[in-house]
Amino acid sequence: MSFKHIGLLCSGGDAPGMNCAIRAVVRTAIYHGIKVTGIKRGYAGLLRGEFTPMNLSSVGNIIQRGGTILQTSRCPEWMKKEFRAKAVDILKHQGIEALIVIGGDGSFNGAMALWDEHQFPVVGIPGTIDNDISGTEYTIGFDTAVQTAIEAIDKIRDTAHSHARTFLVEVMGRNSSAIALKVGVCTGAENILLNNEKVNHQKLSDDIQRGMARGKDSSIIVVAEGPTAGRSYDIQNVLKDMYHLEAHVAILGHIQRGGSPTSNDRFIASQMGNMAVQSLIDGKYPTVTVVRSGKVLMAPLMECTKKADNNLEEFQKLAETLSI
Ligand code: F6P
């Protein structure tokens, strides 16, 4: 089938670079004579019929902007079959023949269901700062989020050194330690605590004290957020109550989700947006853009509907070894 009209939405947490992907989808589609309708606020906006026509200038001057001009949401209704059936009716009523979804593994499960239940053509583009989708080495936004966290921690290190302090710096990642691991190695952190790790306070305290004994002026412990943001405060309390160690807490939070995308994010998102449209033109769906062995490729969407196992403890060890 050759498509004349496609829909485009972002879903889940936003990520820097989503706008570059939106721009690439819209410009590639228009280049090939395909009409694009933007769907505001993800699957929730789709169910409410929040459509906006996209033209060349609606994606002008957005390549450098963080967030997503289409906005996004998490949509619990989408878990229910009847809402997905309603969405297909709405799409068809608009004349939309295929859908491109920029988001994470949950968003791709939602897209896959549209294909499985209604044979509605879908293509995914991985966008999440967490870099935690199976089947792809990279998700749009990760590089920018890591860069933002590194810049913040470098600043914290300055003051930590001046005052000879220990800092617990919490970075994002509910289900993923990818940001923590990369940021920890790149900032010379003394320790990295993984998102699903039961904290060994004794070891942490020994490491901090060993550093002090050999004359270190500061310690940075990077903490992956895990299921509940703010877990660093619990660790702070245990260090104080049981080991009489003072540690300061800095939670970086949503600052990591915003900001102008790095060149890596801009470049990969531009390639992915272009390839996603090409995949529909070539009749290849349900598919997803992925990075494998450093190259941007298309793969079956099914391969990217799970969380990646990115708890690479070797990086945790690397950070510890390099900071002795
Ligand atoms: O989008 C991924 C992410 O930023 C996770 O790293 C984080 O745990 C979560 O989203 C926060 O979600 P929300 O913005 O809905 O609180």
Side-chain angles (χ1 to χ4, degrees):
M1 167 170 185
S2 69
F3 298 104
K4 292 194 176 56
H5 185 181
I6 63 174
L8 171 64
L9 62 80
C10 294
S11 166
D14 63 350
M18 280 183 165
N19 282 329
C20 310
I22 292 171
R23 172 179 177 272
V25 166
V26 171
R27 295 253 164 114
T28 305
I30 293 174
Y31 178 89
H32 290 287
I34 300 167
K35 182 176 161 187
V36 187
T37 290
I39 299 161
K40 306 273 286 184
R41 285 175 271 277
Y43 292 126
L46 167 47
L47 290 167
R48 288 195 295 262
E50 294 185 41
F51 298 108
T52 177
M54 306 294 280
N55 56 39
L56 292 176
S57 55
S58 50
V59 293
N61 198 20
I62 66 166
I63 200 164
Q64 76 284 17
R65 282 172 57 189
T68 153
I69 58 162
L70 289 177
Q71 301 180 277
T72 183
S73 66
R74 304 189 196 275
C75 177
E77 285 108 318
W78 200 260
M79 305 297 282
K80 296 190 186 139
K81 222 173 167 173
E82 64 266 30
F83 284 99
R84 298 194 292 265
K86 182 177 162 198
V88 170
D89 286 346
I90 295 171
L91 287 166
K92 287 186 175 161
H93 188 251
Q94 286 292 316
I96 296 172
E97 302 157 312
L99 183 64
I100 295 180
V101 173
I102 308 173
D105 56 303
S107 310
F108 292 168
N109 273 299
M112 200 63 218
L114 286 189
W115 172 256
D116 288 341
E117 294 160 11
H118 305 279
Q119 285 69 58
F120 196 85
V122 285
V123 175
I125 298 177
T128 161
I129 63 163
D130 287 349
N131 202 19
D132 63 346
I133 307 181
S134 62
T136 181
E137 289 158 17
Y138 193 74
T139 63
I140 295 167
F142 177 66
D143 193 53
T144 310
V146 164
Q147 193 55 35
T148 301
I150 287 174
E151 284 165 19
I153 294 175
D154 287 349
K155 290 180 176 132
I156 291 170
R157 180 72 87 171
D158 290 344
T159 176
H161 173 78
S162 305
H163 289 265
R165 283 176 172 162
T166 295
F167 270 83
L168 295 159
V169 185
E170 191 168 302
V171 298
M172 273 194 158
R174 188 179 290 150
N175 302 300
S176 163
S177 299
I179 295 177
L181 287 163
K182 185 137 188 198
V183 162
V185 171
C186 294
T187 55
E190 276 64 25
N191 267 288
I192 305 170
L193 304 179
L194 304 183
N195 68 305
N196 54 3
E197 180 180 351
K198 190 167 175 325
V199 180
N200 182 340
H201 297 95
Q202 179 68 58
K203 178 179 177 304
L204 192 56
S205 142
D206 290 349
D207 288 349
I208 296 169
Q209 304 209 40
R210 193 171 346 99
M212 286 172 172
R214 81 125 172 102
K216 274 198 181 204
D217 283 319
S218 62
S219 280
I220 299 286
I221 298 144
V222 174
V223 182
E225 175 185 68
T228 325
R231 72 193 276 242
S232 299
Y233 288 110
D234 300 334
I235 302 168
Q236 179 190 43
N237 288 335
V238 178
L239 288 177
K240 186 168 191 288
D241 297 345
M242 292 186 61
Y243 302 96
H244 312 292
L245 285 173
E246 287 291 338
H248 290 254
V249 171
I251 297 184
L252 301 188
H254 288 81
I255 191 172
Q256 295 157 98
R257 286 245 295 264
S260 185
T262 59
S263 60
N264 274 344
D265 277 323
R266 293 181 195 205
F267 194 61
I268 292 174
S270 299
Q271 290 180 82
M272 286 184 165
N274 172 265
M275 279 191 191
V277 175
Q278 194 60 52
S279 186
L280 285 171
I281 293 170
D282 295 342
K284 293 190 180 138
Y285 45 83
T287 47
V288 58
T289 58
V290 293
V291 176
R292 291 188 184 167
S293 304
K295 262 186 88 68
V296 180
L297 309 164
M298 296 308 301
L301 183 56
M302 261 310 285
E303 293 177 11
C304 292
T305 50
K306 295 195 190 78
K307 290 252 172 271
D309 176 17
N310 60 16
N311 281 341
L312 300 170
E313 279 154 31
E314 64 198 276
F315 294 145
Q316 198 181 24
K317 187 76 201 147
L318 175 64
E320 268 185 63
T321 307
L322 298 188
S323 68
I324 48 166

